[in-house]
Amino acid sequence: MAGSMNGAGKTNAHPHQSKIYSEFSRFYDKIFERIFFPRIARVIASLHIPFGARVLELGVGTGLSLSAYPLDCNVVGVDLAQDMLDQAAEKIRERGWHHIILRQMDALNLDFPSDSFDYVTAFHVVSVVPDASRMMAEARRVCRPGGKLVIINHFRSERPLIGPLVDLADPVTRKLGWRTTLKLVDIIEGAPVSIEQKFKTSPRSLFTVVIARNEKEIAAVG
Ligand SMILES: C[S@@+](CC[C@H](N)C(=O)[O-])C[C@H]1O[C@@H](n2cnc3c(N)ncnc32)[C@H](O)[C@@H]1O
């Protein structure tokens, strides 16, 4: 599904790209929390996010991950779908969290200055947006030099039989809102990042965890 170009030549996601998530927002946690949360929690714990760190989560959805962040860091969660954010806002209200704020925003076109965050996380999002490379470029821009980019996603298998087999599901999953053909190399090739860790939390898991250091250069001052 193609995005559109705004006046500044940037790609914008269409609001309807998150429609399926809006429609399922009330059921999302019931279906996905048990599958997604343990892995997300394990990955966030492994980061040892320090006191006061600035964290941006792209495509935060219903806020399924939010309880995993330490209470002494500052988290901004963005998502295109307001209905998903409403579920996340409810969690924040119920738990009385003051360290998390939410904003409705297109991950392809982030409304933050460069170098605003120490960590940028994206769980199960990179194959949902219409332009994964654009999302990663925005993630690198708003992440400070030396900051961490943390991705959990399904990537196309490099195994000769599995890859083409799973490709067959792509027309169906696209209708549901995500691609099965995205390769890790598609989002990192040529980008100034170094992969520090790449692993699956279990041998048969469909999802890969990627923790990368943002190697972009420090902007010259003056
Ligand atoms: C599969 S859900 C993942 C939600 C959450 N990260 C999780 O792991 O449960 C994908 C999320 O990406 C959001 N999304 C899709 N396109 C987006 C965009 N261009 N910008 C920001 N969020 C987007 C959807 O609204 C949805 O909440």
Side-chain angles (χ1 to χ4, degrees):
M1 215 180 287
S4 62
M5 299 290 269
N6 69 12
K10 290 180 173 177
T11 309
N12 280 329
H14 293 300
H16 68 261
Q17 271 156 356
S18 58
K19 193 163 170 266
I20 186 149
Y21 295 104
S22 287
E23 286 168 354
F24 285 108
S25 60
R26 280 180 301 127
F27 309 106
Y28 185 90
D29 285 3
K30 286 194 176 64
I31 302 167
F32 292 112
E33 189 168 20
R34 273 191 321 148
I35 308 168
F36 287 169
F37 181 72
R39 179 171 28 246
I40 291 175
R42 187 169 148 187
V43 170
I44 291 177
S46 79
L47 298 172
H48 303 292
I49 296 174
F51 170 83
R54 303 158 302 168
V55 181
L56 172 66
E57 183 172 327
L58 301 174
V60 66
T62 60
L64 196 146
S65 61
L66 295 178
S67 64
Y69 290 103
L71 296 175
D72 59 4
C73 70
N74 300 299
V75 181
V76 181
V78 302
D79 201 284
L80 206 53
Q82 187 57 50
D83 303 277
M84 296 292 269
L85 288 174
D86 289 347
Q87 302 290 320
E90 187 62 32
K91 291 187 178 76
I92 293 171
R93 253 193 313 275
E94 278 172 8
R95 312 275 181 103
W97 286 326
H98 295 293
H99 63 299
I100 303 172
I101 59 168
L102 301 172
R103 289 188 56 189
Q104 186 179 23
M105 200 181 289
D106 182 0
L108 307 186
N109 217 347
L110 293 171
D111 186 19
F112 299 112
S114 299
D115 308 346
S116 298
F117 297 97
D118 303 299
Y119 296 82
V120 179
T121 62
F123 308 133
H124 320 109
V125 179
V126 82
S127 52
V128 171
V129 297
D131 185 344
S133 302
R134 165 93 205 157
M135 187 188 106
M136 290 308 295
E138 277 292 84
R140 291 196 311 278
R141 181 183 68 76
V142 300
C143 183
R144 69 166 169 81
K148 298 280 164 75
L149 306 165
V150 183
I151 310 291
I152 302 177
N153 216 80
H154 166 78
F155 293 106
R156 186 182 187 276
S157 171
E158 287 157 17
R159 290 158 69 183
L161 282 178
I162 306 286
L165 200 64
V166 177
D167 286 351
L168 296 175
D170 194 60
V172 178
T173 63
R174 270 178 197 256
K175 288 206 166 62
L176 295 172
W178 72 90
R179 283 191 288 151
T180 54
T181 51
L182 187 72
K183 298 181 196 144
L184 178 58
V185 68
D186 296 336
I187 63 165
I188 54 158
E189 196 166 35
V193 294
S194 53
I195 294 184
E196 294 186 334
Q197 292 185 60
K198 174 176 167 268
F199 61 94
K200 288 181 186 279
T201 49
S202 68
R204 291 203 186 147
S205 173
L206 293 173
F207 297 95
T208 302
V209 180
V210 180
I211 302 176
R213 188 184 141 91
N214 194 9
E215 300 288 5
K216 75 178 185 187
E217 295 192 358
I218 297 169
V221 182

